Amino acid sequence: MIIDSRFNGPPGTGNGGYTCGRFATAHPGPGPVEVTLRKPPPLDAPLTTTATTDGRIEIRDPDGELIGQVAPADPFTVTIAPVPWAAAVEVSAAYPGFTDHPFPTCYVCGPKRDDGLGVFPGVLPDGRTAAPFVVPEDVSAATVWAALDCPGGWAIITPGRPYVLGRMAATVSAVPAPGDRCVVVGRMVRSEGRKAEVQTMLYGPGGEPLGYARATWIAI
């Protein structure tokens, strides 16, 4: 497995959501899985996967360092009220990352990318985030994980206090088609110390839910 340099988050490392989505494919079991990132995922490096006796999958870099772990997740649900496309477009115009972004070249939400997903979450009055998402031609389940990633982070990121993804579990019920106009919504569930728990949902062009995620972000 190789995470191509195009799919970066912080400079020189893989975007958390996309990487978790790729790592999730290594687990053979049915049902949702949870991915824990132990170190920043390297780019353009061959990663090896190994099954452990307790049912986990470990992903290691060429030096044998543990990068991530994949494990079965208990079934869970996420319910966040949908936001219409027009409202998502409107709130996205005030995306905080346009003026203050800790990683402006992020594949998912970086405003300095012209080949990224362009998911720019604005903040609604009730604290939820919402972003329009036009599905790219090379869409995959990992793309959905990526789209579900950053809108959760922007529910907690504030100027001068960046966060990175530490753990993510997702359920993808359907992969949207290229060109579909979707909306991603996110919210913070709780925050304690350097850790914050967030949730996200992806809605399709007809307002149908396509996937949801829960994640733990860690302040750096």
Side-chain angles (χ1 to χ4, degrees):
M1 181 186 302
I2 294 177
I3 306 299
D4 187 86
S5 60
R6 174 190 170 198
F7 303 110
N8 69 284
T13 65
N15 168 264
Y18 180 84
T19 300
C20 286
R22 289 289 306 279
F23 286 0
T25 64
H27 199 281
V33 296
E34 186 169 69
V35 182
T36 301
L37 299 176
R38 297 300 183 185
K39 292 186 65 176
L43 298 169
D44 295 330
L47 305 175
T48 58
T49 61
T50 305
T52 64
T53 56
D54 61 358
R56 298 172 181 263
I57 298 292
E58 294 184 343
I59 296 93
R60 297 181 181 272
D61 68 11
D63 295 326
E65 292 289 329
L66 182 64
I67 301 300
Q69 294 171 301
V70 189
D74 292 333
F76 69 99
T77 59
V78 170
T79 302
I80 307 174
V83 174
W85 171 266
V89 171
E90 181 178 1
V91 74
S92 179
Y95 171 47
F98 287 145
T99 57
D100 190 330
H101 199 301
F103 312 116
T105 61
C106 172
Y107 164 67
V108 177
C109 66
K112 292 188 176 181
R113 290 289 295 269
D114 57 10
D115 62 343
L117 294 186
V119 176
F120 302 140
V123 182
L124 295 162
D126 63 4
R128 288 181 300 152
T129 61
F133 168 46
V134 179
V135 180
E137 288 294 324
D138 60 346
V139 63
S140 66
T143 312
V144 176
W145 278 67
L148 287 167
D149 176 21
C150 296
W154 283 100
I156 53 167
I157 294 172
T158 56
R161 188 168 174 80
Y163 282 74
V164 293
L165 182 67
R167 178 175 293 149
M168 184 175 183
T171 294
V172 178
S173 56
V175 175
D180 277 356
R181 300 201 306 177
C182 301
V183 173
V184 195
V185 291
R187 68 181 176 193
M188 181 180 72
V189 177
R190 63 180 61 87
S191 178
E192 182 178 355
R194 294 176 54 227
K195 292 185 178 182
E197 182 183 341
V198 303
Q199 296 176 339
T200 51
M201 285 192 72
L202 173 67
Y203 287 95
E208 68 280 14
L210 301 178
Y212 54 84
R214 68 183 185 202
T216 300
W217 285 64
I218 302 172
I220 57 174

